[in-house]
Amino acid sequence: MTEHRRTDTRHAEAPAGQAREHSLRIERLNFAYGDTPILRGIDLHVREGEFLALLGPSGSGKSTLLRLIAGLESPTAGRLDASGRPVSGPGTDRAVVFQHYALFPWMTVVDNVAEAVAKAHPRLPRSERRARALKQLERVGLGEVGGNHPFELSGGMQQRAAIARALALESPFLLMDEPFGALDPINRAKLQDLLIEVWQGSTPRRTVVFVTHDVDEALLLADRIAVMGATPGRIIAEHSVPFARPRQRAALFKDAGFHRLREEIAEALDADTLAHLEAA
């Protein structure tokens, strides 16, 4: 198992007049519900433009960590900065895509996305907001269904709409909580490919934090994987993903290096599970 090496987390503010780096820095972060510890001692640096996967079993706190980054929860202790500023609550700089699509059911798909455009550009006239929303829907292959309501779309199409809405915020950070977990394998693969296509085609690239419990998904999508163990949640290993982009699924799954890394990650997770069972 690869030993987890803590990242240098010294903090530096951007000089006056210099653009802020859209990175995340997490230092000695703890989180608890009452007396129940959920996360302990999280140290993590996510570089600007990096695609990081948070990988772990249920109960490892990976979704809770994402909610903390999104500002939907507050740490019990430690430091959490986005773009050099402490995270003190939700913000349009951090777009979130949940597993369950969270679209407004009373709005058409284009109006759902236009709401996000309005948050990013509140002074735009309604016609321009809708035009920009339609462009985002076209990016995810939904240009023909903007006038439909979410309940008229399949699950895969609803998640495409949720991704379009997140992109419409023009946020430097994209936070995704098992966004494809509820989909069938074919739609899941299609949306994985779509996500990478959109992310690689964006300038500048967004900083992505992607929660998953699927090792293959993490290896296919991410630049780096933070493996989380359970009870309380903590990072037990970090792995750089060495495979060149663009990645072809069929070729990747035949690669001996892919199988070695997948086995190494699986062994780390199994060892953590066994340690907890023996301690119980």
Side-chain angles (χ1 to χ4, degrees):
M1 182 183 79
T2 299
E3 181 183 355
H4 171 224
R5 297 179 180 177
R6 297 197 172 208
T7 306
D8 180 2
T9 53
R10 289 172 292 184
H11 176 73
E13 293 288 348
Q18 181 176 318
R20 290 179 179 271
E21 180 185 274
H22 297 304
S23 61
L24 293 168
R25 285 190 180 272
I26 303 171
E27 301 177 357
R28 301 179 298 279
L29 183 142
N30 293 346
F31 180 76
Y33 286 122
D35 295 329
T36 304
I38 306 299
L39 295 169
R40 180 178 294 164
I42 303 293
D43 285 323
L44 192 62
H45 175 209
V46 187
R47 298 180 297 274
E48 181 174 19
E50 183 178 23
F51 195 122
L52 177 85
L54 293 175
L55 173 70
S58 297
S60 60
K62 55 191 186 295
S63 292
T64 300
L65 180 54
L66 196 83
R67 289 177 62 83
L68 287 161
I69 297 169
L72 300 172
E73 304 281 359
S74 297
T76 306
R79 183 169 188 168
L80 171 53
D81 291 355
S83 302
R85 296 188 179 96
V87 172
S88 58
T92 55
D93 63 319
R94 284 155 286 132
V96 185
V97 178
F98 297 102
Q99 181 175 348
H100 300 288
Y101 320 118
L103 299 168
F104 299 125
W106 59 89
M107 289 184 177
T108 63
V109 172
V110 70
D111 285 339
N112 266 277
V113 180
E115 279 291 301
V117 177
K119 289 182 179 179
H121 301 282
R123 296 184 180 180
L124 280 181
R126 184 172 183 272
S127 60
E128 180 62 19
R129 294 199 301 266
R130 286 179 61 86
R132 293 193 182 197
L134 281 170
K135 287 183 180 179
Q136 294 295 351
L137 288 172
E138 289 168 0
R139 290 183 76 187
V140 300
L142 294 180
E144 301 299 319
V145 298
N148 292 45
H149 287 80
F151 61 83
E152 299 178 281
L153 307 182
S154 67
M157 294 172 78
Q158 288 186 58
Q159 195 61 301
R160 286 174 183 258
I163 292 171
R165 184 176 62 181
L167 296 174
L169 281 172
E170 300 179 18
S171 308
F173 298 98
L174 180 59
L175 312 177
M176 310 189 80
D177 189 5
E178 299 195 55
F180 312 139
L183 301 177
D184 64 87
I186 293 176
N187 275 307
R188 182 171 187 153
K190 288 180 178 179
L191 286 188
Q192 289 168 345
D193 292 343
L194 172 68
L195 172 61
I196 289 301
E197 179 184 343
V198 170
W199 174 71
Q200 291 186 158
S202 298
T203 304
R205 286 185 182 174
R206 291 168 171 82
T207 305
V208 179
V209 181
F210 185 98
V211 167
T212 183
H213 63 268
D214 187 307
V215 178
D216 287 359
E217 182 171 66
L219 289 169
L220 175 69
L221 298 179
D223 296 319
R224 184 162 55 100
I225 300 171
V227 183
M228 298 188 67
T231 318
R234 67 221 184 281
I235 298 173
I236 59 174
E238 292 183 30
H239 297 270
S240 293
V241 180
F243 312 114
R245 298 184 187 275
R247 296 172 187 163
Q248 300 298 323
R249 185 178 278 100
L252 185 65
F253 290 174
K254 294 177 182 177
D255 189 292
F258 171 88
H259 290 281
R260 283 194 299 269
L261 187 50
R262 180 171 64 177
E263 185 64 24
E264 190 172 348
I265 293 170
E267 286 177 357
L269 291 168
D270 289 345
D272 186 69
T273 299
L274 288 172
H276 279 88
L277 289 172
E278 291 170 358

